Amino acid sequence: MGLALAAIPALRPPAFVESFLYLVFHWIALATSWTILSGFSGYFSFGHGAFFGAGMYTAATLAVTFGVPFLWTLPAAGVVAALLGVGIGAVVFRVRRLRGELFALLTLAVTFVLATIVLNTRIDGGPGVFLAAVAIPRIFASAASTIYVMGVAVALAAVGAAWIVQGARLGRGLFAIADDEDVAEVLGVPTYRFKLVAFGLSCFLAGVVGGIHAIFVTYVTVAETFSITVPLYVVLMSVLGGARHWLGPAVGATFVTVLTYAFVGGEWAVVGRAVVGLTLIAVILFLPQGLFGLIGRRRPGRSVPAPPAGERTVAAGSGLLSEAATDGSATAQRGPTSRPLVRCEGVRKAFHGVQALAGVDFEIREGEILGLVGPNGSGKSTLVNVISGYYRPDAGRILLDGRDLAHQPGHRIAGLGIARTYQIPRPFPRLTLLDNVTLAGMFGGAALDGGQAEREARRWLDFVGLADRASALPTELNLHQRKFLELARALASGPRLVLLDEVLSGLTPAEIGEALALVREIRRRGATILFIEHIMRAVVDLTDRVVVLNHGQLIAEGRPRDVIRQPEVVAAYLGKAYA
Amino acid sequence: MPSLTLLGQSLVSGLFIGGLYGLLGLGLGLSWGLLRLINLSHFALVLLGAYLTYQLAGTAGMNPFLTPLLIVPGFFLLGVVLQWAFDFFRVNEFSSLLVTFGITVVIESVIQWVWTADFRRLETPYATLSVRAGPLFLPVTEMVMLLVATALSLLTWAWLRFTWVGKGMRASVEDPDIAAAFGVSPRRLALLLSGVGAAYAGVAGTFVALVYTLAPSQIYGWIGVVFAVVILGGLGNPLGPLVAGIGIGISESLTMAVAEPSWAPLVSFTLLILVLVLRPDRI
Amino acid sequence: MLEADGLHVGYGDAPALWDISLTVGDGELVAVVGPNGAGKTTLINAIARLLPIRRGRLRLDGVDVTRATPQEVCQRGVAIIPEGRRLFGGMTVEENLEIGCYRRAARRARSESLDRVYAVFPILRERHRQLAGSLSGGQQQMLAIGRALMARPRLLLVDEPSLGLAPAVVDQVFEVVQAIHRDGVSILLIEQNAAKALEIAGRAYVLEGGRVVSEGRPGELLTQSHIREAYLGGGA
């Protein structure tokens, strides 16, 4: 395919055909490079013009002022743009709130700042930069052919890069970030690093595209380069085609370029633009996933084949599976021990002056099911968020094997073998059940490769009785199934400690029975469980020990039947009169 | 170092352009802050209003200051219809940016179809009218623009602050369910607010036609700086855009006076970046 | 005044309700108690028409409001003191109270109602220009009560008024609720703190796992084991 496209110049087409085709590939490359960060991770950048422009001016300056041979300026163009992007990302990606439209605005502002600097320094200085005197390498018959082939090459490189990224760990992580960044981090995705890498790659490609475009237009001006139309069109093309698919932007770019340039001249160009605008409106309203959203929800052509039938474990009524599915961490214990797995020492956390955790000390022992109970607002969820790394405690230590987790990022805590579920399930809404669970296996403590993780994921879906829904989306499930999906996702990471945050709330009595059986089975396989629950009957039935929180402090600890008789505990729940 | 007169004149022109920024930011900030919709098409509506003023005043011979009488009611309806559609299709904050970009492109095409891409200039007797204040010249149309921007900002502020509708609107932004439980109809108020925002675009359009040379691409010319104005002024605060607009306008024109004119955007956008990175909770 | 007949409510990820029937008579104070996650707040929100009702009937003064909008329920004289207070934090204390009397029938009595609320909670008058978000927890709860009173309700829905408050403040809040009741307002009080709620209620329902498991006079319920079981399980 690439060869065929590169061979077009051999047919000696008229020059305008070549430059039209160049423009198509130019936009394909630019839109695809944008998608690698913005489409995949949901961080929509409106600053793609800045990186494109940085590449353009790097190439122009090196070629014109310093006489560097043109081909050598292209890698430099890419590197400069990538450094710029990574530099911005290193600051911006640390600010939790700078997502969505705020990130879009920020990158847009960066474009204008860069434009002003370029315009007022010797890089441009105002009049623009002429590249007419720059020698175009004669790789092919004519200069136009050479530029065209360079355009094809960079477009293929960009589409290829997007294809590789989408299938790789990086892509999996980025898609998870797009759906729910906090959950991705807690599942073990190094979100900060992944965003930086994707931004760097995206900007590098944009920079190279810019470098090539400099020689195509031969006259580089600030107004044209850093205009708002570049980012707007790139976003438009990607969203039209489908920003969550490696080939989507290419389709969108081809469509838009053909529409805007094919009707050259006069009134028809206007009609072309209007059609582009109307298409965008229609796509956002009716096809938010773009044209590629129409085509299946599996990653086309790249799915790992399902394990052969013999290898698959058959759910036997209750949905439990054979021993074969247990992983390495599950070999040791089958019941409570006295060895502490996690110790919390003096953990404190306050919000706006309200003490949610006021110095909590307790330990979770290896192999036990420890109940964590307490009335509403007593600090249970805050404690889970602190242990899993979503919040940093104000003071205190959380020790796992003697190692302090208190200031580790969430993904590292996940890597050490701590997994959690959410009281209100938070599956990645645009990933299939299988992809949801596979992700946990790839990034959590287990750190499996894609194929292995997918096989494990099928087993865990089987374990919770959702095997036949593997290719469904979480939105198609009811609450009880979503709770079980949460469980499967937590288990697929091969955790040593599972934090179960109110898995039972909202379930019917029959479903509760099912869930309790699952929790027991998880422990039997060797994991330690912190079981946070309001339904006291279940806590008494299930747990080995219980700790009680009230107003951010531990008020009782011991065997469940003893604890719920203690007057302080009764008073905390039912009011003083009952104590 | 430039002369004092030049500095004074820059201050004045910064003040006036600040009035335009404030006027443009008022409607954008209302829908963003109170409806959580980022309405890019606001800028297209402004230009559409400007071209309509050009048509009514230039070709049909109407007094340009009377054109809002025709434009504003029409734009109000347009705003209501847009909001109804956004509500119907459940457009959220992020997709609003893309949908309204689509609308912008469509309006731009319509403008280009009707008035072509050539520059248009509304010739009126007011264009050259100016008052002398000591060594300074004060252009009349721009002075009126600043006055109107100030008046509308204050009126909007008072409307939100003191009327039942205004209070209901602010309550619906914070917690639509509880507001509804006390009898407020968040959806109906949103239609009203969107209409008002579009009407402000119409008013701004009239002044754009009076002060500037028109071209369809001018839609994109103010997007960056007006976003900066809206965010710096604080979303949903009707006085914010005017204050921030004047601040940015003056800092731009002073930059122009002491350095090259082309350095002007650096100030506003650097400020915007700093606010976004350091105080993202303000938004 | 209020009749719920076989309500089924379920939405998203909140606890669902199955086949709930309850009544609140004119001038009655009815409590619904139950552990967390039993569906108490879901019930209040369904009655205020903030959540869709899947099956069953809801009547106010005999008029069917199963499919009514929240505004219509409000116009019929129902006001809510929501769980977690849900004040308009960016608005002043007085503006919050004014939203309380947004409904037409209550608007006319604005200044009279304000005086009444300020008489009950003098601290609110002192702070009437302060932003609601800057009040302490107890003061916020008073403001939430005041806001509901401004609506001149005939039926007041009170959701977990003791949540997150110090014991002394809880006592004060319950006294105010009782005083409102004495003024002739019907009250549906939802509360996790069963002891406290049963002290002041005329009748009560016990909610567990989205179902009504018991109902009766507080005295009867206190002697039964239902409540203790609902909260602490059979082992207690």
Side-chain angles (χ1 to χ4, degrees):
Chain A
M1 160 108 160
L3 279 180
L5 290 169
I8 286 181
L11 301 174
R12 307 257 163 173
F16 77 87
V17 172
E18 250 171 3
S19 48
F20 168 72
L21 287 175
Y22 163 79
L23 282 172
V24 173
F25 287 105
H26 164 77
W27 284 112
I28 287 177
L30 213 50
T32 307
S33 70
W34 178 86
T35 280
I36 291 174
L37 172 77
S38 300
F40 289 178
S41 77
Y43 273 78
F44 273 36
S45 157
F46 273 39
H48 217 52
F51 311 111
F52 164 74
M56 215 160 163
Y57 270 97
T58 304
T61 308
L62 286 178
V64 174
T65 315
F66 299 100
V68 177
F70 183 73
L71 276 181
W72 288 102
T73 67
L74 293 182
V79 168
V80 167
L83 287 178
L84 184 64
V86 170
I88 294 166
V91 177
V92 171
F93 289 150
R94 286 184 194 280
V95 186
R96 233 178 222 173
R97 277 225 33 190
L98 277 181
R99 297 177 187 166
E101 61 288 338
L102 296 189
F103 182 75
L105 269 178
L106 183 114
T107 47
L108 183 62
V110 166
T111 313
F112 293 125
V113 167
L114 192 66
T116 312
I117 294 173
V118 169
L119 185 65
N120 290 285
T121 56
R122 287 187 35 214
I123 302 171
D124 181 299
V129 182
F130 271 105
L131 285 91
V134 173
I136 301 173
R138 286 281 174 126
I139 305 173
F140 295 92
S142 68
S145 304
T146 306
I147 294 172
Y148 162 75
V149 172
M150 285 194 287
V152 171
V154 73
L156 288 177
V159 173
W163 180 66
I164 290 168
V165 167
Q166 181 158 10
R169 279 172 73 80
L170 178 60
R172 294 267 191 172
L174 293 174
F175 277 92
I177 288 170
D179 273 4
D180 194 330
E181 184 163 350
D182 298 334
V183 175
E185 175 79 24
V186 166
L187 280 179
V189 178
T191 52
Y192 180 68
R193 188 159 25 105
F194 271 25
K195 287 184 289 183
L196 271 191
V197 169
F199 205 10
L201 178 59
S202 164
C203 293
F204 176 84
L205 288 165
V208 176
V209 175
I212 296 168
H213 204 58
I215 197 99
F216 173 79
V217 293
T218 67
Y219 176 44
V220 180
T221 63
V222 168
E224 284 285 309
T225 308
F226 295 101
S227 77
I228 196 164
T229 41
V230 170
L232 286 180
Y233 267 84
V234 166
V235 176
L236 165 73
M237 290 164 173
S238 305
V239 170
L240 269 186
R244 282 166 68 85
H245 192 283
W246 58 275
L247 200 51
V251 172
T254 311
F255 176 78
V256 172
T257 319
V258 167
L259 265 183
T260 34
Y261 293 95
F263 309 101
V264 214
E267 295 163 349
W268 290 109
V270 179
V271 176
R273 268 177 89 78
V275 171
V276 169
L278 287 170
T279 317
L280 178 65
I281 298 171
V283 165
I284 297 287
L285 297 184
F286 302 109
L287 266 186
Q289 304 265 31
L291 297 175
F292 267 89
L294 284 176
I295 305 168
R297 48 175 90 102
R298 293 284 302 143
R299 293 155 303 128
R302 303 216 72 206
S303 66
V304 180
E311 207 181 320
R312 236 183 291 183
T313 45
V314 181
S318 64
L320 300 185
L321 75 170
S322 72
E323 288 302 305
T326 53
D327 50 55
S329 67
T331 49
Q333 271 81 27
R334 292 287 147 87
T337 66
S338 59
R339 202 182 83 81
L341 179 66
V342 170
R343 278 178 80 88
C344 294
E345 295 178 355
V347 175
R348 293 177 166 275
K349 178 77 191 171
F351 300 99
H352 306 295
V354 179
Q355 204 72 38
L357 295 175
V360 175
D361 298 272
F362 74 105
E363 61 183 37
I364 306 170
R365 297 173 190 159
E366 188 136 18
E368 75 175 340
I369 301 181
L370 176 64
L372 173 60
V373 301
N376 213 342
S378 58
K380 301 184 300 295
S381 289
T382 307
L383 188 58
V384 172
N385 279 326
V386 166
I387 296 177
S388 62
Y390 181 68
Y391 293 142
R392 299 213 160 155
D394 301 330
R397 301 198 299 167
I398 299 162
L399 300 170
L400 171 74
D401 295 335
R403 185 167 172 179
D404 191 1
L405 305 181
H407 295 282
Q408 299 278 352
H411 71 267
R412 201 155 297 151
I413 293 174
L416 292 171
I418 296 183
R420 69 166 295 181
T421 65
Y422 289 87
Q423 183 182 343
I424 294 168
R426 286 172 73 173
F428 301 113
R430 289 177 291 183
L431 301 185
T432 63
L433 266 55
L434 184 63
D435 285 344
N436 259 286
V437 182
T438 303
L439 191 95
M442 288 173 75
F443 288 98
L448 307 170
D449 69 50
Q452 234 178 336
E454 189 163 315
R455 278 189 294 277
E456 278 298 304
R458 284 189 192 281
R459 292 199 172 101
W460 287 115
L461 281 175
D462 204 4
F463 177 69
V464 299
L466 290 171
D468 53 335
R469 308 297 304 274
S471 57
L473 289 177
T475 42
E476 300 162 32
L477 303 183
N478 61 31
L479 174 64
H480 134 254
Q481 291 169 318
R482 257 179 290 172
K483 293 238 167 193
F484 281 21
L485 172 61
E486 286 267 309
L487 264 183
R489 197 169 62 172
L491 296 173
S493 63
R496 300 173 63 191
L497 171 64
V498 192
L499 313 171
L500 299 179
D501 194 354
E502 301 202 18
V503 271
L504 307 182
S505 73
L507 301 188
T508 63
E511 292 163 350
I512 287 177
E514 231 179 292
L516 289 181
L518 277 182
V519 176
R520 284 205 185 86
E521 180 61 21
I522 294 163
R523 194 263 291 273
R524 202 182 64 78
R525 290 163 188 281
T528 306
I529 293 168
L530 181 64
F531 186 71
I532 297 122
E533 190 49 66
H534 276 300
I535 301 179
M536 206 58 90
R537 228 188 289 268
V539 175
V540 173
D541 267 9
L542 186 71
T543 58
D544 303 310
R545 283 193 316 132
V546 171
V547 292
V548 186
L549 270 186
N550 195 24
H551 295 300
Q553 282 175 315
L554 219 58
I555 59 165
E557 177 173 4
R559 286 183 32 227
R561 268 163 221 280
D562 304 337
V563 165
I564 59 168
R565 286 198 180 84
Q566 291 184 19
E568 311 85 83
V569 176
V570 176
Y573 266 88
L574 287 165
K576 280 250 164 1
Y578 270 84
Chain B
M1 191 65 196
S3 71
L4 275 180
T5 314
L6 180 56
L7 277 183
Q9 195 63 52
S10 313
L11 217 61
V12 166
S13 66
L15 189 67
F16 290 147
I17 190 130
L20 175 69
Y21 293 164
L23 197 52
L24 293 172
L26 182 60
L28 187 75
L30 280 183
S31 70
W32 192 359
L34 300 180
L35 304 176
R36 301 315 294 184
L37 293 171
I38 307 176
N39 188 0
L40 265 186
S41 60
H42 191 73
F43 297 92
L45 287 181
V46 169
L47 259 281
L48 185 61
Y51 273 99
L52 287 174
T53 300
Y54 167 81
Q55 193 70 30
L56 291 170
T59 314
M62 216 174 142
N63 182 317
F65 286 107
L66 295 180
T67 54
L69 292 180
L70 290 178
I71 294 172
V72 162
F75 272 43
F76 179 85
L77 274 182
L78 203 59
V80 171
V81 171
L82 273 182
Q83 176 61 29
W84 179 86
F86 290 156
D87 196 44
F88 182 83
F89 287 105
R90 292 169 195 282
V91 172
N92 65 23
E93 188 167 358
F94 189 71
S95 56
S96 72
L97 196 59
L98 297 168
V99 172
T100 55
F101 174 51
I103 297 173
T104 303
V105 172
V106 172
I107 295 180
E108 186 194 357
S109 310
V110 169
I111 291 176
Q112 204 170 326
W113 180 267
V114 178
W115 288 283
T116 76
D118 300 339
F119 290 106
R120 302 278 165 151
R121 174 86 200 169
L122 176 62
E123 301 295 346
T124 67
Y126 306 107
T128 51
L129 216 60
S130 63
V131 182
R132 231 191 125 101
L136 304 177
F137 284 97
L138 309 175
V140 167
T141 42
E142 292 178 47
M143 231 158 44
V144 176
M145 176 167 79
L146 179 63
L147 283 177
V148 169
T150 311
L152 285 183
S153 301
L154 283 171
L155 276 176
T156 312
W157 175 79
W159 181 54
L160 289 179
R161 183 115 178 75
F162 298 117
T163 64
W164 285 105
V165 168
K167 286 170 193 166
M169 199 107 64
R170 283 156 58 214
S172 339
V173 176
E174 294 204 27
D175 192 329
D177 274 356
I178 295 302
F182 282 102
V184 183
S185 308
R187 294 171 74 180
R188 227 183 295 164
L189 295 182
L191 294 179
L192 175 65
L193 192 73
S194 174
V196 169
Y200 288 172
V203 175
T206 296
F207 286 103
V208 166
L210 279 166
V211 179
Y212 294 90
T213 302
L214 304 180
S217 62
Q218 187 60 38
I219 290 173
Y220 304 103
W222 284 306
I223 288 183
V225 70
V226 173
F227 267 113
V229 161
V230 167
I231 288 185
L232 290 175
L235 284 182
N237 172 4
L239 296 179
L242 185 68
V243 174
I246 289 175
I248 285 183
I250 288 178
S251 65
E252 276 186 0
S253 58
L254 286 183
T255 318
M256 286 186 202
V258 294
E260 291 287 308
S262 45
W263 277 110
L266 198 64
V267 183
S268 43
F269 292 117
T270 309
L271 268 175
L272 174 60
I273 292 173
L274 288 178
V275 170
L276 282 172
V277 173
L278 301 177
R279 301 276 315 274
D281 297 327
R282 262 171 60 98
I283 295 149
Chain C
M1 168 106 221
L2 175 78
E3 294 166 77
D5 188 13
L7 289 191
H8 287 246
V9 183
Y11 71 106
D13 295 324
L17 299 175
W18 289 275
D19 196 22
I20 303 283
S21 297
L22 61 80
T23 58
V24 180
D26 265 327
E28 237 191 335
L29 197 168
V30 174
V32 175
V33 298
N36 228 300
K40 302 192 300 299
T41 295
T42 307
L43 176 62
I44 282 265
N45 287 344
I47 295 172
R49 302 298 311 109
L50 298 173
L51 289 176
I53 294 170
R54 279 205 200 137
R55 264 207 335 256
R57 272 201 186 295
L58 187 66
R59 283 193 202 85
L60 272 174
D61 299 318
V63 179
D64 191 323
V65 291
T66 315
R67 302 271 170 269
T69 62
Q71 292 87 356
E72 284 162 0
V73 171
C74 170
Q75 300 297 354
R76 293 191 175 279
V78 178
I80 184 170
I81 301 173
E83 184 188 1
R85 306 181 277 275
R86 293 174 73 173
L87 298 172
F88 306 110
M91 298 170 71
T92 65
V93 167
E94 189 153 302
E95 284 170 342
N96 269 275
L97 294 174
E98 286 175 322
I99 292 296
C101 63
Y102 191 89
R103 75 177 179 112
R104 297 232 174 261
R107 264 187 216 188
R108 269 173 262 129
R110 173 185 168 276
S111 47
E112 193 190 322
S113 307
L114 269 181
D115 285 341
R116 212 175 67 174
V117 170
Y118 285 151
V120 181
F121 304 113
I123 185 78
L124 295 184
R125 188 197 291 279
E126 262 171 56
R127 314 218 154 175
H128 73 281
R129 297 177 65 100
Q130 208 171 312
L131 291 186
S134 68
L135 297 179
S136 76
Q139 291 162 354
Q140 290 196 5
Q141 188 63 60
M142 292 171 197
L143 180 52
I145 296 172
R147 179 176 64 181
L149 285 182
M150 292 295 290
R152 305 229 150 194
R154 295 173 47 238
L155 171 64
L156 190 57
L157 308 173
V158 188
D159 193 356
E160 301 265 11
S162 71
L163 191 67
L165 298 183
V169 185
V170 173
D171 289 344
Q172 202 188 342
V173 166
F174 273 88
E175 273 163 34
V176 173
V177 171
Q178 267 180 298
I180 297 169
H181 176 231
R182 276 196 300 272
D183 284 349
V185 179
S186 315
I187 292 179
L188 180 64
L189 168 68
I190 284 198
E191 185 50 67
Q192 185 183 202
N193 189 328
K196 210 77 208 160
L198 294 183
E199 234 170 67
I200 65 170
R203 236 158 25 88
Y205 296 83
V206 181
L207 203 62
E208 192 198 349
R211 289 167 207 277
V212 173
V213 294
S214 177
E215 71 168 289
R217 308 234 152 251
E220 299 161 20
L221 289 175
L222 279 166
T223 52
Q224 291 171 0
S225 59
H226 280 111
I227 292 188
R228 198 171 267 267
E229 265 183 38
Y231 280 80
L232 296 175

